[in-house]
Coordinates of all heavy atoms in Angstrom, one line a residue:
M396 N -67.9 176.7 77.3 CA -67.5 176.0 76.1 C -66.5 174.9 76.6 O -65.5 175.2 77.2 CB -66.9 176.9 75.1 CG -66.5 176.3 73.8 SD -67.9 176.2 72.7 CE -67.2 175.6 71.2
D397 N -66.7 173.7 76.2 CA -65.8 172.6 76.5 C -64.6 172.7 75.6 O -64.7 173.1 74.4 CB -66.5 171.2 76.3 CG -67.6 171.0 77.4 OD1 -67.3 171.2 78.6 OD2 -68.7 170.8 77.0
A398 N -63.5 172.2 76.1 CA -62.2 172.2 75.3 C -61.9 170.7 75.0 O -61.8 169.9 75.9 CB -61.1 172.8 76.1
Y399 N -61.8 170.5 73.7 CA -61.6 169.1 73.2 C -60.3 169.0 72.5 O -59.9 169.9 71.7 CB -62.7 168.6 72.3 CG -64.1 168.6 72.9 CD1 -65.0 169.5 72.6 CD2 -64.4 167.5 73.7 CE1 -66.3 169.5 73.2 CE2 -65.7 167.4 74.3 CZ -66.6 168.4 74.0 OH -67.9 168.3 74.6
R400 N -59.5 167.9 72.7 CA -58.4 167.6 72.0 C -58.5 166.1 71.5 O -58.8 165.3 72.4 CB -57.1 167.7 72.8 CG -56.8 169.1 73.3 CD -55.5 169.2 74.1 NE -54.4 169.2 73.3 CZ -53.3 168.5 73.5 NH1 -53.2 167.6 74.4 NH2 -52.2 168.7 72.7
L401 N -58.3 165.9 70.3 CA -58.5 164.5 69.7 C -57.2 163.9 69.3 O -56.6 164.4 68.3 CB -59.5 164.5 68.6 CG -59.8 163.2 67.9 CD1 -60.5 162.2 68.9 CD2 -60.7 163.4 66.7
H402 N -56.8 162.9 70.0 CA -55.6 162.2 69.6 C -56.0 161.2 68.5 O -56.9 160.3 68.8 CB -54.9 161.4 70.8 CG -54.5 162.3 71.9 ND1 -53.2 162.6 72.1 CD2 -55.2 163.0 72.8 CE1 -53.1 163.5 73.1 NE2 -54.3 163.7 73.6
Y403 N -55.4 161.3 67.3 CA -55.9 160.6 66.1 C -54.8 160.2 65.2 O -53.7 160.7 65.3 CB -57.0 161.5 65.4 CG -56.3 162.4 64.5 CD1 -56.2 162.2 63.1 CD2 -55.6 163.5 65.0 CE1 -55.6 163.1 62.2 CE2 -54.9 164.4 64.1 CZ -54.9 164.2 62.7 OH -54.3 165.0 61.9
F404 N -55.1 159.3 64.2 CA -54.3 159.3 63.0 C -55.3 159.2 61.9 O -56.4 158.7 62.0 CB -53.2 158.2 63.1 CG -53.8 156.8 63.1 CD1 -53.9 156.0 62.0 CD2 -54.1 156.2 64.3 CE1 -54.4 154.7 62.0 CE2 -54.6 154.9 64.4 CZ -54.7 154.2 63.3
P405 N -54.9 159.7 60.7 CA -55.9 159.9 59.6 C -56.6 158.6 59.1 O -57.7 158.7 58.7 CB -55.1 160.5 58.5 CG -53.9 161.1 59.1 CD -53.6 160.3 60.3
E406 N -55.9 157.5 59.2 CA -56.5 156.2 58.7 C -57.4 155.6 59.7 O -58.1 154.6 59.4 CB -55.4 155.2 58.3 CG -54.5 155.7 57.2 CD -53.3 156.6 57.7 OE1 -53.3 156.9 58.9 OE2 -52.5 157.0 56.8
S407 N -57.6 156.1 60.8 CA -58.4 155.6 61.9 C -59.9 155.9 61.7 O -60.3 157.1 61.9 CB -57.9 156.1 63.3 OG -58.8 155.8 64.3
G408 N -60.7 154.9 61.4 CA -62.1 155.2 61.3 C -62.8 155.6 62.6 O -63.7 156.4 62.6
N409 N -62.3 155.1 63.7 CA -62.8 155.5 65.0 C -62.5 156.9 65.3 O -63.4 157.6 65.8 CB -62.3 154.5 66.1 CG -63.0 153.2 66.1 OD1 -64.2 153.1 65.9 ND2 -62.2 152.1 66.2
S410 N -61.3 157.4 64.9 CA -61.0 158.8 65.1 C -61.9 159.6 64.2 O -62.4 160.7 64.7 CB -59.6 159.0 64.7 OG -58.7 158.3 65.4
Y411 N -62.2 159.2 63.0 CA -63.1 159.9 62.1 C -64.5 160.1 62.7 O -65.1 161.1 62.6 CB -63.1 159.2 60.7 CG -64.1 159.9 59.8 CD1 -63.8 161.1 59.2 CD2 -65.4 159.4 59.5 CE1 -64.6 161.7 58.3 CE2 -66.3 160.0 58.7 CZ -65.9 161.2 58.1 OH -66.8 161.8 57.2
K412 N -65.0 159.0 63.3 CA -66.3 159.1 63.9 C -66.4 160.2 65.0 O -67.3 160.9 65.0 CB -66.7 157.7 64.6 CG -66.9 156.6 63.6 CD -67.2 155.3 64.4 CE -66.9 154.1 63.6 NZ -66.9 152.8 64.4
L413 N -65.3 160.3 65.8 CA -65.4 161.3 66.9 C -65.2 162.7 66.3 O -65.9 163.6 66.7 CB -64.3 161.0 67.9 CG -64.4 159.7 68.7 CD1 -63.4 159.7 69.8 CD2 -65.8 159.6 69.3
A414 N -64.3 162.8 65.3 CA -64.2 164.1 64.6 C -65.5 164.6 63.9 O -65.9 165.7 64.0 CB -63.0 164.0 63.6
L415 N -66.1 163.6 63.3 CA -67.4 163.9 62.6 C -68.5 164.3 63.6 O -69.2 165.3 63.5 CB -67.9 162.8 61.8 CG -69.1 162.9 61.0 CD1 -69.0 164.0 59.9 CD2 -69.5 161.6 60.3
M416 N -68.5 163.6 64.7 CA -69.6 163.8 65.7 C -69.4 165.2 66.3 O -70.3 166.0 66.5 CB -69.5 162.8 66.8 CG -70.5 162.9 67.9 SD -72.2 162.6 67.3 CE -73.1 162.4 68.8
L417 N -68.1 165.5 66.7 CA -67.9 166.8 67.3 C -68.2 167.9 66.3 O -68.8 168.9 66.7 CB -66.4 166.9 67.7 CG -66.0 166.1 68.9 CD1 -64.4 166.0 69.0 CD2 -66.5 166.8 70.2
T418 N -67.8 167.7 65.1 CA -68.1 168.8 64.1 C -69.6 169.0 63.9 O -70.1 170.1 63.8 CB -67.4 168.4 62.7 OG1 -66.0 168.3 63.0 CG2 -67.7 169.4 61.7
L419 N -70.3 167.8 63.8 CA -71.8 168.0 63.5 C -72.5 168.5 64.8 O -73.6 169.1 64.6 CB -72.4 166.6 63.2 CG -71.9 166.0 61.8 CD1 -72.5 164.6 61.6 CD2 -72.4 167.0 60.7
C420 N -71.9 168.4 65.9 CA -72.5 169.0 67.1 C -72.0 170.4 67.3 O -72.3 171.0 68.4 CB -72.1 168.1 68.4 SG -72.9 166.5 68.4
G421 N -71.3 170.9 66.4 CA -70.9 172.3 66.4 C -69.7 172.6 67.3 O -69.5 173.8 67.7
Q422 N -68.9 171.6 67.6 CA -67.8 171.8 68.6 C -66.5 171.8 67.8 O -66.3 171.0 66.9 CB -67.8 170.6 69.6 CG -69.0 170.4 70.4 CD -69.4 171.7 71.1 OE1 -68.6 172.2 72.0 NE2 -70.5 172.2 70.9
S423 N -65.6 172.7 68.2 CA -64.3 172.7 67.7 C -63.4 171.8 68.6 O -63.7 171.6 69.7 CB -63.7 174.1 67.6 OG -63.7 174.7 68.9
F424 N -62.3 171.4 68.0 CA -61.4 170.5 68.7 C -60.0 170.7 68.2 O -59.8 171.0 67.0 CB -61.8 169.0 68.7 CG -61.8 168.4 67.4 CD1 -60.7 167.8 66.9 CD2 -63.0 168.5 66.6 CE1 -60.7 167.2 65.6 CE2 -63.0 168.0 65.3 CZ -61.9 167.3 64.8
E425 N -59.0 170.4 69.0 CA -57.6 170.5 68.6 C -57.2 169.1 68.2 O -57.2 168.1 69.0 CB -56.7 171.0 69.7 CG -55.3 171.0 69.3 CD -54.4 171.3 70.5 OE1 -54.9 171.8 71.5 OE2 -53.2 171.0 70.4
P426 N -56.9 168.9 66.9 CA -56.4 167.5 66.4 C -55.0 167.3 66.9 O -54.2 168.2 66.7 CB -56.6 167.6 64.9 CG -56.6 169.0 64.6 CD -57.0 169.8 65.8
V427 N -54.7 166.2 67.5 CA -53.4 165.8 67.9 C -52.9 164.6 67.1 O -53.3 163.5 67.4 CB -53.3 165.5 69.4 CG1 -51.9 165.3 69.9 CG2 -53.9 166.7 70.2
W428 N -52.2 164.9 66.0 CA -51.8 163.8 65.1 C -50.8 162.9 65.9 O -49.9 163.3 66.6 CB -51.1 164.4 63.9 CG -50.6 163.3 63.0 CD1 -51.3 162.4 62.2 CD2 -49.2 162.9 62.8 NE1 -50.5 161.6 61.5 CE2 -49.2 161.8 61.9 CE3 -48.0 163.3 63.3 CZ2 -48.0 161.2 61.5 CZ3 -46.8 162.7 62.9 CH2 -46.9 161.6 62.0
T429 N -51.0 161.6 65.7 CA -50.2 160.6 66.4 C -49.5 159.7 65.3 O -50.2 159.2 64.4 CB -51.1 159.8 67.3 OG1 -51.8 160.7 68.2 CG2 -50.3 158.8 68.1
D430 N -48.3 159.5 65.4 CA -47.5 158.7 64.5 C -47.7 157.2 64.8 O -46.8 156.5 65.2 CB -46.0 159.1 64.5 CG -45.4 158.6 63.2 OD1 -46.0 157.8 62.4 OD2 -44.2 159.0 63.0
F431 N -48.9 156.7 64.4 CA -49.3 155.3 64.7 C -48.4 154.3 64.0 O -48.0 153.3 64.6 CB -50.8 155.1 64.3 CG -51.4 153.8 64.7 CD1 -51.8 153.6 66.0 CD2 -51.5 152.8 63.8 CE1 -52.4 152.4 66.4 CE2 -52.1 151.6 64.2 CZ -52.5 151.4 65.5
A432 N -48.1 154.7 62.7 CA -47.2 153.7 61.9 C -45.8 153.6 62.6 O -45.2 152.5 62.4 CB -47.1 154.3 60.5
A433 N -45.4 154.6 63.3 CA -44.1 154.5 63.9 C -44.2 153.9 65.3 O -43.3 153.8 66.1 CB -43.4 155.8 64.0
R434 N -45.4 153.4 65.6 CA -45.7 152.7 66.9 C -45.5 153.6 68.1 O -45.0 153.1 69.2 CB -44.9 151.4 67.0 CG -45.4 150.4 66.0 CD -44.7 149.1 66.2 NE -45.4 148.1 65.3 CZ -44.9 146.8 65.2 NH1 -43.8 146.4 65.8 NH2 -45.5 146.0 64.4
V435 N -45.8 154.9 68.0 CA -45.7 155.8 69.1 C -46.6 155.3 70.2 O -46.3 155.4 71.4 CB -46.1 157.2 68.7 CG1 -46.4 158.1 69.8 CG2 -45.0 157.8 67.8
T436 N -47.8 154.7 69.9 CA -48.7 154.3 70.9 C -48.2 153.1 71.7 O -48.8 152.7 72.7 CB -50.1 154.0 70.2 OG1 -49.9 153.0 69.2 CG2 -50.7 155.2 69.7
W437 N -47.1 152.5 71.2 CA -46.5 151.4 71.9 C -45.5 151.8 72.9 O -45.0 151.0 73.7 CB -45.9 150.4 70.9 CG -46.8 149.6 70.0 CD1 -48.0 150.0 69.6 CD2 -46.6 148.3 69.5 NE1 -48.6 149.1 68.8 CE2 -47.7 148.0 68.7 CE3 -45.5 147.4 69.6 CZ2 -47.8 146.8 68.0 CZ3 -45.7 146.2 68.9 CH2 -46.8 145.9 68.2
T438 N -45.2 153.1 72.9 CA -44.1 153.5 73.8 C -44.6 153.7 75.2 O -45.7 154.1 75.4 CB -43.5 154.9 73.3 OG1 -44.5 155.9 73.4 CG2 -42.9 154.8 71.9
P439 N -43.8 153.4 76.2 CA -44.2 153.6 77.6 C -44.6 155.0 77.9 O -45.5 155.3 78.7 CB -42.9 153.2 78.4 CG -42.2 152.3 77.5 CD -42.5 152.8 76.1
E440 N -43.9 156.0 77.3 CA -44.2 157.4 77.5 C -45.6 157.8 77.0 O -46.3 158.4 77.8 CB -43.1 158.3 76.7 CG -43.4 159.7 76.7 CD -43.2 160.4 78.0 OE1 -42.8 159.8 79.0 OE2 -43.6 161.6 78.1
W441 N -46.0 157.3 75.8 CA -47.3 157.6 75.3 C -48.3 156.9 76.2 O -49.4 157.5 76.5 CB -47.4 157.1 73.8 CG -48.6 157.7 73.1 CD1 -48.7 158.9 72.5 CD2 -49.9 157.1 73.1 NE1 -50.0 159.1 72.0 CE2 -50.7 158.0 72.3 CE3 -50.5 155.9 73.6 CZ2 -52.1 157.7 72.1 CZ3 -51.8 155.7 73.3 CH2 -52.6 156.5 72.6
R442 N -48.1 155.7 76.6 CA -49.1 155.0 77.4 C -49.2 155.6 78.8 O -50.3 155.7 79.4 CB -48.7 153.5 77.5 CG -48.9 152.8 76.1 CD -48.7 151.4 76.1 NE -49.0 150.9 74.8 CZ -49.4 149.7 74.5 NH1 -49.6 148.8 75.4 NH2 -49.6 149.3 73.2
R443 N -48.1 156.2 79.3 CA -48.1 156.8 80.6 C -48.9 158.2 80.5 O -49.7 158.5 81.4 CB -46.7 157.1 81.1 CG -46.6 157.6 82.5 CD -45.2 157.8 83.0 NE -44.5 158.7 82.1 CZ -44.6 160.0 82.2 NH1 -45.4 160.6 83.1 NH2 -43.9 160.8 81.4
T444 N -48.7 158.9 79.4 CA -49.3 160.2 79.3 C -50.6 160.3 78.6 O -51.3 161.3 78.7 CB -48.3 161.2 78.6 OG1 -47.9 160.7 77.3 CG2 -47.0 161.3 79.5
V445 N -50.9 159.3 77.7 CA -52.1 159.5 76.9 C -53.1 158.3 77.2 O -54.3 158.6 77.6 CB -51.8 159.5 75.4 CG1 -53.1 159.8 74.6 CG2 -50.8 160.7 75.1
N446 N -52.7 157.1 76.9 CA -53.7 156.0 77.1 C -52.9 154.7 77.5 O -52.2 154.1 76.6 CB -54.5 155.8 75.8 CG -55.5 154.7 75.9 OD1 -55.7 154.1 77.0 ND2 -56.2 154.4 74.9
P447 N -53.1 154.2 78.7 CA -52.4 153.0 79.1 C -52.7 151.8 78.2 O -52.0 150.8 78.2 CB -52.9 152.8 80.5 CG -53.5 154.0 81.0 CD -53.9 154.8 79.7
M448 N -53.9 151.8 77.6 CA -54.3 150.7 76.7 C -53.7 150.7 75.3 O -53.8 149.8 74.6 CB -55.9 150.7 76.6 CG -56.5 150.3 77.9 SD -58.3 150.3 77.8 CE -58.7 152.0 77.8
G449 N -53.0 151.8 75.0 CA -52.3 151.9 73.8 C -53.2 152.1 72.5 O -52.7 151.7 71.4
E450 N -54.4 152.6 72.7 CA -55.3 152.7 71.6 C -55.6 154.2 71.2 O -55.7 155.0 72.1 CB -56.6 152.1 71.9 CG -56.6 150.6 72.0 CD -57.9 149.9 72.4 OE1 -58.8 150.6 72.9 OE2 -58.1 148.8 72.1
I451 N -55.8 154.4 70.0 CA -56.3 155.6 69.4 C -57.8 155.3 69.0 O -58.0 154.1 68.5 CB -55.5 156.0 68.1 CG1 -54.1 156.4 68.5 CG2 -56.2 157.0 67.2 CD1 -54.0 157.8 69.0
P452 N -58.7 156.1 69.1 CA -58.6 157.5 69.5 C -58.7 157.7 71.0 O -59.2 156.9 71.7 CB -59.9 158.2 68.8 CG -60.9 157.1 68.8 CD -60.1 155.8 68.6
V453 N -58.2 158.9 71.4 CA -58.3 159.4 72.8 C -58.9 160.8 72.7 O -58.4 161.6 71.9 CB -57.0 159.4 73.5 CG1 -57.2 160.0 74.9 CG2 -56.4 158.0 73.7
L454 N -60.0 161.0 73.4 CA -60.5 162.4 73.4 C -60.3 163.0 74.7 O -60.7 162.5 75.8 CB -62.1 162.4 73.2 CG -62.7 163.7 73.1 CD1 -62.2 164.6 71.9 CD2 -64.3 163.6 73.0
E455 N -59.5 164.1 74.7 CA -59.4 164.9 75.9 C -60.5 165.9 76.0 O -60.8 166.6 75.0 CB -58.0 165.7 75.9 CG -56.8 164.8 76.1 CD -55.6 165.6 76.3 OE1 -55.6 166.7 76.9 OE2 -54.6 165.2 75.7
E456 N -61.1 165.9 77.2 CA -62.3 166.8 77.4 C -62.0 167.6 78.7 O -61.9 167.1 79.8 CB -63.5 165.9 77.6 CG -64.8 166.6 77.7 CD -65.9 165.6 78.0 OE1 -66.4 165.0 77.1 OE2 -66.2 165.4 79.2
N457 N -61.7 168.9 78.5 CA -61.4 169.8 79.6 C -60.3 169.2 80.4 O -60.3 169.2 81.7 CB -62.6 170.1 80.5 CG -63.7 170.7 79.7 OD1 -63.5 171.6 78.8 ND2 -65.0 170.3 79.9
G458 N -59.3 168.6 79.8 CA -58.1 168.0 80.5 C -58.2 166.6 80.9 O -57.2 165.9 81.1
G459 N -59.5 166.0 80.9 CA -59.6 164.6 81.2 C -59.5 163.8 80.0 O -59.8 164.3 78.9
R460 N -59.1 162.5 80.1 CA -58.9 161.7 78.9 C -60.0 160.6 78.9 O -60.2 159.9 79.8 CB -57.5 161.1 78.9 CG -56.4 162.1 78.6 CD -55.1 161.4 78.4 NE -54.6 160.7 79.5 CZ -53.9 161.2 80.5 NH1 -53.6 162.5 80.5 NH2 -53.6 160.4 81.5
L461 N -60.6 160.5 77.7 CA -61.6 159.5 77.4 C -61.2 158.5 76.3 O -60.6 159.0 75.3 CB -63.0 160.2 77.0 CG -63.5 161.2 78.0 CD1 -64.7 161.9 77.3 CD2 -64.0 160.5 79.3
T462 N -61.5 157.2 76.5 CA -61.2 156.3 75.5 C -62.5 155.5 75.2 O -63.5 155.6 76.0 CB -60.1 155.3 75.8 OG1 -60.6 154.4 76.9 CG2 -58.9 156.0 76.3
Q463 N -62.5 154.7 74.1 CA -63.6 153.9 73.7 C -64.6 154.7 72.9 O -65.4 155.4 73.5 CB -64.2 153.0 74.8 CG -63.2 152.2 75.6 CD -62.3 151.4 74.7 OE1 -62.7 150.7 73.8 NE2 -61.0 151.4 75.0
T464 N -64.6 154.5 71.6 CA -65.4 155.3 70.7 C -66.9 155.3 71.0 O -67.5 156.3 71.0 CB -65.1 154.9 69.2 OG1 -63.7 154.9 69.0 CG2 -65.8 155.8 68.2
G465 N -67.4 154.1 71.1 CA -68.9 154.0 71.3 C -69.4 154.8 72.5 O -70.3 155.6 72.4
P466 N -68.8 154.5 73.7 CA -69.3 155.3 74.9 C -69.0 156.8 74.7 O -69.9 157.6 75.2 CB -68.5 154.8 76.0 CG -68.2 153.3 75.6 CD -68.0 153.4 74.1
I467 N -68.0 157.2 74.0 CA -67.7 158.6 73.8 C -68.8 159.2 72.9 O -69.3 160.3 73.2 CB -66.3 158.9 73.2 CG1 -65.2 158.5 74.2 CG2 -66.2 160.4 72.9 CD1 -63.8 158.5 73.6
L468 N -69.2 158.5 71.9 CA -70.2 159.0 71.0 C -71.6 159.1 71.7 O -72.3 160.1 71.6 CB -70.4 158.0 69.8 CG -69.3 158.0 68.8 CD1 -69.5 156.8 67.8 CD2 -69.2 159.3 68.0
L469 N -71.9 158.2 72.6 CA -73.1 158.3 73.4 C -73.1 159.4 74.4 O -74.1 160.1 74.6 CB -73.3 157.0 74.1 CG -73.7 155.7 73.3 CD1 -73.7 154.5 74.1 CD2 -75.0 155.9 72.5
R470 N -71.9 159.7 75.0 CA -71.7 160.8 75.9 C -72.0 162.1 75.2 O -72.7 163.0 75.7 CB -70.3 160.7 76.4 CG -69.9 161.8 77.4 CD -68.4 161.7 77.7 NE -67.9 162.7 78.6 CZ -67.8 162.5 79.9 NH1 -68.3 161.5 80.5 NH2 -67.2 163.5 80.6
L471 N -71.4 162.3 74.0 CA -71.6 163.5 73.2 C -73.0 163.6 72.7 O -73.6 164.7 72.7 CB -70.6 163.5 72.0 CG -69.1 163.6 72.3 CD1 -68.3 163.4 71.1 CD2 -68.8 164.9 73.0
A472 N -73.6 162.5 72.3 CA -75.0 162.5 71.9 C -75.9 163.0 73.0 O -76.8 163.9 72.8 CB -75.5 161.2 71.4
D473 N -75.7 162.5 74.2 CA -76.5 163.0 75.4 C -76.2 164.5 75.7 O -77.2 165.2 76.0 CB -76.1 162.2 76.6 CG -76.7 160.8 76.6 OD1 -77.6 160.5 75.8 OD2 -76.2 159.9 77.3
R474 N -75.0 164.9 75.6 CA -74.6 166.2 76.0 C -75.3 167.2 75.0 O -75.8 168.3 75.4 CB -73.1 166.4 76.0 CG -72.7 167.9 76.2 CD -71.2 168.0 76.4 NE -70.8 167.2 77.5 CZ -69.6 166.6 77.7 NH1 -68.7 166.8 76.7 NH2 -69.3 165.9 78.7
F475 N -75.2 166.9 73.7 CA -75.7 167.9 72.7 C -77.1 167.6 72.2 O -77.6 168.3 71.4 CB -74.7 168.0 71.6 CG -73.3 168.5 72.1 CD1 -72.2 167.6 72.2 CD2 -73.2 169.8 72.5 CE1 -71.0 168.1 72.6 CE2 -72.0 170.2 73.0 CZ -70.9 169.4 73.1
G476 N -77.7 166.5 72.7 CA -79.0 166.2 72.3 C -79.2 165.9 70.8 O -80.2 166.2 70.2
M477 N -78.1 165.3 70.2 CA -78.2 165.0 68.8 C -77.7 163.5 68.6 O -76.8 163.1 69.3 CB -77.2 166.0 68.1 CG -77.6 167.4 68.2 SD -76.4 168.5 67.5 CE -76.7 168.3 65.8
F478 N -78.3 162.9 67.6 CA -77.8 161.6 67.1 C -77.9 160.5 68.1 O -77.2 159.5 68.0 CB -76.4 161.7 66.5 CG -76.2 162.8 65.6 CD1 -75.4 163.9 65.9 CD2 -76.9 162.8 64.3 CE1 -75.2 165.0 65.0 CE2 -76.7 163.9 63.4 CZ -75.9 164.9 63.7
R479 N -78.8 160.6 69.1 CA -78.9 159.6 70.1 C -79.8 158.4 69.6 O -79.5 157.3 70.0 CB -79.6 160.2 71.4 CG -79.5 159.2 72.6 CD -78.1 159.0 73.0 NE -78.0 158.4 74.3 CZ -78.0 157.1 74.6 NH1 -78.1 156.2 73.7 NH2 -77.8 156.7 75.9
G480 N -80.7 158.6 68.7 CA -81.6 157.6 68.3 C -82.6 157.2 69.3 O -82.5 157.7 70.5
A481 N -83.6 156.4 68.9 CA -84.7 156.2 69.8 C -84.6 154.8 70.5 O -85.2 154.6 71.6 CB -86.0 156.2 69.0
G482 N -83.8 153.9 70.0 CA -83.8 152.6 70.6 C -82.4 152.3 71.2 O -81.5 153.1 71.2
Ligands
GSH38 N1 -62.1 149.8 71.5 C1 -61.4 150.9 70.9 C2 -60.7 150.4 69.6 C3 -60.0 151.5 68.9 C4 -59.0 150.9 67.9 O1 -59.3 149.8 67.4 N2 -57.9 151.5 67.7 C5 -56.8 151.0 66.9 C6 -56.5 151.9 65.8 S1 -57.9 152.4 64.9 C7 -55.6 150.9 67.8 O2 -55.2 151.9 68.5 N3 -55.1 149.7 68.0 C8 -53.9 149.4 68.8 C9 -52.8 148.7 68.0 O3 -53.1 148.1 67.0 O4 -51.7 148.7 68.5 C10 -62.5 152.0 70.5 O5 -63.6 151.7 70.3 O6 -62.1 153.2 70.4

């Protein structure tokens, strides 16, 4: 079983897409709320430890960190054989 942690904030549509995808694929994940409004993602500490590009969402997968919603969705679709589409 893969271990997922999703760095998110509630108003983020991209975060929602990943949360929905994981849920529909039957995967549980640990939500990691991020204080985006307080510009936590702008801090050197956050960029050093979570995402140098300063963007949410970030999906941790078995300890590795993934960014960019589209490629993450495609990766999950391939892994679970769901929602890949034909074209
Ligand atoms: N290319 C990224 C974009 C994600 C994105 O736009 N994230 C926004 C919040 S929803 C962000 O973190 N922006 C950085 C900022 O405004 O400082 C993806 O597809 O995941």
Side-chain angles (χ1 to χ4, degrees):
M396 183 82 172
D397 294 304
Y399 296 105
R400 300 177 82 226
L401 179 63
H402 298 258
Y403 82 103
F404 63 98
E406 297 84 359
S407 164
N409 285 316
S410 299
Y411 177 75
K412 290 175 203 171
L413 295 185
L415 181 62
M416 182 67 165
L417 286 166
T418 300
L419 292 177
C420 289
Q422 302 303 300
S423 60
F424 62 92
E425 178 186 341
V427 184
W428 177 72
T429 304
D430 197 350
F431 189 78
R434 295 189 169 170
V435 165
T436 55
W437 290 32
T438 63
E440 171 69 5
W441 194 88
R442 292 189 177 204
R443 186 177 62 77
T444 57
V445 184
N446 181 3
M448 291 179 284
E450 290 180 338
I451 290 281
V453 175
L454 183 64
E455 286 187 42
E456 186 184 275
N457 301 319
R460 289 190 297 274
L461 303 170
T462 70
Q463 306 308 317
T464 306
I467 296 171
L468 288 172
L469 292 172
R470 178 186 179 93
L471 294 172
D473 284 343
R474 175 171 302 150
F475 297 110
M477 299 172 76
F478 309 113
R479 189 64 163 91

